[in-house]
Amino acid sequence: MARQRPEPSHITLGGREAVALTVEEYAQLVASRRQIGGQSARVRVLAQQVKRTERLLDELEALVGVPTAFCRTPDEGAGRRATADCHGTTGGMDTDCLRCAIAALLRRHRDATP
């Protein structure tokens, strides 16, 4: 069931149109304003966190740099994949391959549509 909005009483006070609220309606109005103010503050904090995270990602992307051509080969589907040249004799990824993987991850998440 939809809640109906209460209609305040319209009055004329000193020749000006005004609205009269009951004490309870006024208390609800003040409480709603406080809630909106609190939500607004939370949104501001979240917006600042998003900006900081974007700066971090930009700096990380710049630090990682452009992936080297020898490390990555095109892969149909989800971006790129590492080649056998990426792995050293120990079986782990070398530094350039790790840079490529991080750069691909950043691109994939940056290009993702919400």
Side-chain angles (χ1 to χ4, degrees):
M1 184 184 317
R3 218 171 153 192
Q4 287 190 358
R5 187 171 51 168
E7 285 294 322
S9 302
H10 293 269
I11 61 172
T12 304
L13 188 62
R16 295 180 58 186
E17 188 82 18
V19 177
L21 299 174
T22 65
V23 174
E24 293 81 18
E25 290 171 335
Y26 182 76
Q28 283 180 329
L29 179 64
V30 170
S32 294
R33 289 187 65 185
R34 276 195 212 111
Q35 287 176 345
I36 290 171
Q39 289 173 350
S40 176
R42 284 190 291 276
V43 167
R44 252 190 324 275
V45 168
L46 288 173
Q48 290 171 349
Q49 288 175 340
V50 166
K51 286 178 185 176
R52 279 197 315 266
T53 302
E54 288 247 343
R55 280 196 311 267
L56 173 67
L57 287 174
D58 288 341
E59 291 174 17
L60 183 59
E61 198 170 26
L63 182 63
V64 169
V66 178
T68 56
F70 73 87
C71 186
R72 308 302 255 177
T73 58
D75 183 20
E76 301 304 316
R80 298 175 170 258
R81 65 178 170 79
T83 66
D85 296 339
C86 287
H87 304 286
T89 56
T90 61
M93 292 181 138
D94 68 11
T95 305
D96 285 334
C97 187
L98 182 59
R99 287 176 63 217
C100 292
I102 292 170
L105 178 70
L106 287 169
R107 272 194 313 278
R108 188 170 57 245
H109 284 278
R110 178 127 350 188
D111 296 340
T113 55

